[in-house]
């Protein structure tokens, strides 16, 4: 394979649990686009998470970080599993993921929650509440309580232990995630709901203040604000009221799982984590699901749709991204379902059969 100037380097990080099997299907899709549709890419592979810890003693080995710094985009499966839960927090698989986000400054996390009409019955909510759902959650990913110092568990004078973390945001961090959200909203319905807890937390009082300030640069955007407890309630009560939601690292973690479930299966939803220059890491929203690993039943569609996001946001290959999304629609129309989205009149397929069907539908 010759490597031209235009060739983009993609780092593949399968990770743990179902990670390797779903990533294998996404790689098949990338290779099919390379062979049949002229996509100029070069794939590299690396270890992250528990798999990396087992092999090297670190969930984010230097070699992986070097490859991640050098490539144009990263495709990641998932990290974590029961096997590593008792390790010291500093070397747990999740630290591999957090280390990649922090070291590569991937501050803007895009988590779409889209309901595929073919799957309306798979949602636990009534079809009329979720049909047509199309929300984009923009989660701040490199700051807030996830990274704030000081943090730890200390022993007080009386011998009692005390755990502590710090919720902390600078204006510049809030400004840049605000801009991310407003830019995305400009390409959608131009509505942004900023989620905070400004009635209790000073840090998010500042968050709200800065959002209002940045929004002045985007006169066409309709900005609203919601406290996070109400936002969680509104997401399950009337989710279609939202277009773009922008929020802090931890609130975004929680609300994006909630939004994902509205769509019937967390196995369908991709995500992008972007830096200031459009370089990104792409991964399914779901976790490593160790309980169903190596059974060939995991849904590879979230990972395959993450490839579509990768092509759109980091490689500027909009048409090829659309081709993947159309293939996913076609396969769902044809009634193919993995176990997580299976309903009575559909045809249940394995992880690799789903991947093969997508590849057939690409052409
Ligand atoms: C996510 C995950 C991660 C997070 C974990 C695995 C560290 O839940 O990407 O939403 O909390 O950010
Ligand atoms: Mg999460």
């Amino acid at each position: 394979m010759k490597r031209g100037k235009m060739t983009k380097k993609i780092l593949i990080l399968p990770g743990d649990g179902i990670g390797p099997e779903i990533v294998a299907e996404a790689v098949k899709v990338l290779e099919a686009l390379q062979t049949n549709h002229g996509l100029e890419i070069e794939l590299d592979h690396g270890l992250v998470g528990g798999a990396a810890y087992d092999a090297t003693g670190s969930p984010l080995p230097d070699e992986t970080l070097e490859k991640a710094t050098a490539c144009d985009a990263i495709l990641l499966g998932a990290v974590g599993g029961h096997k590593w839960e008792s390790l010291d927090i500093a070397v747990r698989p999740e630290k591999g993921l957090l280390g990649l986000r922090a070291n590569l400054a991937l501050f803007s996390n895009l988590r779409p929650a889209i309901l595929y009409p073919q799957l309306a019955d798979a949602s636990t909510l009534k079809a009329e509440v979720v049909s047509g759902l199309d929300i984009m959650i923009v989660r701040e990913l490199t700051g807030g309580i996830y990274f704030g110092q000081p943090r730890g568990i200390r022993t007080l004078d009386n011998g009692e232990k005390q755990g502590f973390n710090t919720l902390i945001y600078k204006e510049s961090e809030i400004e840049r995630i605000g801009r991310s959200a407003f830019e995305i909203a400009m390409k959608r319905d131009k509505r942004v709901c900023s989620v905070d807890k400004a009635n209790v937390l000073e840090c998010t009082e500042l968050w709200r203040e800065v959002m209002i300030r940045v929004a002045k640069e985007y006169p066409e955007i309709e900005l609203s604000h919601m406290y996070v407890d109400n936002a969680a309630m509104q997401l399950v009560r009337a989710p279609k009221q939202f277009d773009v939601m922008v929020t802090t690292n931890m609130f975004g973690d929680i609300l994006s799982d909630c939004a994902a479930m509205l769509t019937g299966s967390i196995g369908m939803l991709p995500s992008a984590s972007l830096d200031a220059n459009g370089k990104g890491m792409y991964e399914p929203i779901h976790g490593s699901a160790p309980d169903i690993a190596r059974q060939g039943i995991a849904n590879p569609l979230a990972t395959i749709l993450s490839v579509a996001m990768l092509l759109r946001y980091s490689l500027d290959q909009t048409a090829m991204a659309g081709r993947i999304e159309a293939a996913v629609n076609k396969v769902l129309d044809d009634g193919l379902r993995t176990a997580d989205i299976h309903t009575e009149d559909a045809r249940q397929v394995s992880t690799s059969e789903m991947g093969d069907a997508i590849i057939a539908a690409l052409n």
Side-chain angles (χ1 to χ4, degrees):
M1 176 73 211
K2 71 172 192 310
R3 175 159 194 235
K5 260 211 304 286
M6 299 298 291
T7 305
K8 299 288 186 185
K9 210 167 189 168
I10 301 175
L11 177 63
I12 308 292
L13 300 176
D16 309 319
I18 58 171
E21 53 205 274
I22 52 177
V23 164
E25 300 312 309
V27 167
K28 274 176 16 191
V29 170
L30 277 168
E31 286 170 347
L33 291 173
Q34 186 179 32
T35 311
N36 304 327
H37 301 281
L39 180 64
E40 292 185 49
I41 50 167
E42 188 184 297
L43 302 184
D44 198 359
H45 298 264
L47 289 172
V48 73
Y53 174 82
D54 287 349
T56 70
S58 162
L60 179 57
D62 290 343
E63 193 191 340
T64 300
L65 191 54
E66 278 158 29
K67 287 180 179 183
T69 308
C71 70
D72 295 294
I74 302 164
L75 181 70
L76 185 134
V79 299
H82 314 303
K83 185 178 166 193
W84 301 284
E85 269 163 18
S86 56
L87 288 177
D88 186 88
I89 194 164
V91 290
R92 268 185 226 156
E94 290 76 8
K95 275 285 175 205
L97 188 58
L98 296 172
L100 281 168
R101 291 172 180 171
N103 279 288
L104 302 177
L106 305 172
F107 69 90
S108 176
N109 184 211
L110 314 185
R111 299 192 159 189
I114 293 171
L115 182 87
Y116 285 80
Q118 302 93 326
L119 302 181
D121 292 334
S123 177
T124 46
L125 273 79
K126 292 194 200 95
E128 74 245 32
V129 175
V130 290
S131 71
L133 184 81
D134 180 357
I135 304 177
M136 178 67 91
I137 296 189
V138 180
R139 168 188 177 194
E140 199 291 324
L141 203 59
T142 53
I145 199 166
Y146 269 54
F147 294 95
Q149 295 287 349
R151 62 188 298 155
I153 300 172
R154 61 191 162 210
T155 306
L156 301 174
D157 290 344
N158 68 0
E160 191 186 0
K161 281 192 192 163
Q162 184 182 51
F164 56 102
N165 288 89
T166 305
L167 172 60
I168 186 162
Y169 273 114
K170 289 189 289 201
E171 289 180 285
S172 54
E173 292 175 293
I174 306 169
E175 276 166 18
R176 66 180 183 179
I177 194 67
R179 288 207 177 86
S180 272
F182 296 134
E183 294 290 341
I184 285 161
M186 285 302 288
K187 297 184 192 139
R188 298 172 47 104
D189 201 34
K190 301 193 172 66
R191 291 183 295 121
V192 174
C193 178
S194 170
V195 177
D196 60 41
K197 189 75 185 174
N199 50 344
V200 179
L201 304 172
E202 288 85 349
C203 180
T204 68
E205 192 184 332
L206 179 68
W207 175 281
R208 186 177 287 216
E209 206 179 289
V210 174
M211 284 294 161
I212 292 170
R213 190 165 78 212
V214 179
K216 298 215 163 74
E217 296 166 25
Y218 301 84
E220 286 176 61
I221 297 282
E222 182 192 314
L223 174 66
S224 60
H225 307 273
M226 213 177 256
Y227 298 140
V228 63
D229 49 351
N230 186 25
M233 183 175 77
Q234 295 299 331
L235 264 179
V236 287
R237 192 187 74 88
K240 284 189 274 182
Q241 68 184 284
F242 297 111
D243 177 26
V244 173
M245 300 176 94
V246 62
T247 191
T248 63
N249 203 342
M250 187 161 75
F251 294 165
D253 178 46
I254 298 164
L255 294 180
S256 63
D257 265 29
C258 178
M261 209 49 229
L262 303 174
T263 70
S265 175
I266 199 165
M268 291 296 299
L269 298 177
S271 76
S273 306
L274 304 174
D275 75 1
N277 307 308
K279 174 168 173 169
M281 179 160 81
Y282 299 82
E283 51 177 316
I285 285 186
H286 60 70
S288 60
D291 49 319
I292 62 159
R294 286 175 298 280
Q295 295 172 34
I297 60 171
N299 186 347
L301 292 179
T303 318
I304 290 170
L305 288 165
S306 298
V307 171
M309 287 189 98
L310 182 156
L311 293 172
R312 177 169 291 121
Y313 290 103
S314 287
L315 268 51
D316 214 15
Q317 295 280 1
T318 314
M320 275 203 234
R323 193 180 270 276
I324 293 178
E325 287 155 355
V328 169
N329 262 304
K330 163 141 201 330
V331 165
L332 293 176
D333 281 342
D334 290 347
L336 271 61
R337 305 281 188 270
T338 43
D340 57 314
I341 49 174
H342 187 244
T343 44
E344 246 169 43
D345 44 359
R347 193 177 124 218
Q348 190 168 332
V349 294
S350 69
T351 308
S352 65
E353 284 167 337
M354 185 57 102
D356 292 340
I358 296 292
I359 287 160
L362 279 176
N363 298 317

